[in-house]
Amino acid sequence: MLFRSPEVRVATDLRGAANRVIYQMRGYAMTGEHTYYEAAKEELALVDKHLMEAKDLAEKAVNLKALRGQVVKATTAIDKYKTLIEETTAANTRIEGDRKKLDKAATEYMENATALLEHQNELMKKEIGGV
């Protein structure tokens, strides 16, 4: 078994969870699929857990003075990313609503275009065939 110091373990776990959040959010942002968003929320919970572990370690460890500052930076970055997640979710919700409106408008357009074509065909038959 490979030995990892507590600082390296916490940093590695935090980085891994953060990378997975980014990956899942990219999928959600590009597709609007809620399964990506749900997976991102699960990974974000792990990010919070690992960040808490890092905070605890920074408070308890005497020799890890730099860790405390890095935890503050990570917390700030994660909080900003959470805001971006909220903005992405709001944008995807608006896009979903717009797509529904567009689908409805497309259906109405096709119904009207079909009715116009049928009417024009009737007029043409009357004109040509004397019907």
Side-chain angles (χ1 to χ4, degrees):
M1 182 173 156
L2 180 66
F3 173 76
R4 295 189 302 172
S5 70
E7 182 180 24
V8 170
R9 182 192 54 78
V10 166
T12 302
D13 292 346
L14 179 58
R15 184 196 63 203
N19 285 343
R20 290 187 302 272
V21 169
I22 292 167
Y23 177 79
Q24 296 298 339
M25 281 307 298
R26 184 182 324 145
Y28 176 62
M30 296 178 85
T31 67
E33 290 290 326
H34 290 281
T35 53
Y36 288 112
Y37 178 67
E38 293 302 321
K41 286 193 328 188
E42 290 175 16
E43 293 297 338
L44 194 57
L46 288 175
V47 166
D48 289 338
K49 174 186 170 224
H50 296 310
L51 186 60
M52 189 57 64
E53 291 171 354
K55 285 179 185 178
D56 290 344
L57 182 61
E59 290 174 8
K60 292 176 185 173
V62 178
N63 296 324
L64 299 178
K65 292 180 173 68
L67 181 60
R68 190 169 287 120
Q70 295 301 315
V71 167
V72 171
K73 285 182 183 180
T75 301
T76 301
I78 290 166
D79 289 344
K80 183 176 180 179
Y81 196 77
K82 286 178 180 179
T83 300
L84 295 173
I85 288 173
E86 290 173 11
E87 291 174 10
T88 300
T89 304
N92 275 358
T93 299
R94 286 191 308 273
I95 289 169
E96 207 172 292
D98 291 343
R99 284 188 178 134
K100 287 178 183 177
K101 288 178 188 175
L102 288 171
D103 287 345
K104 182 180 177 190
T107 300
E108 290 173 4
Y109 169 79
M110 291 306 295
E111 288 170 355
N112 290 333
T114 300
L116 175 64
L117 178 62
E118 289 171 358
H119 179 69
Q120 290 295 324
N121 284 337
E122 287 176 26
L123 291 175
M124 182 181 69
K125 285 179 186 176
K126 287 180 184 176
E127 192 173 309
I128 293 176
V131 178

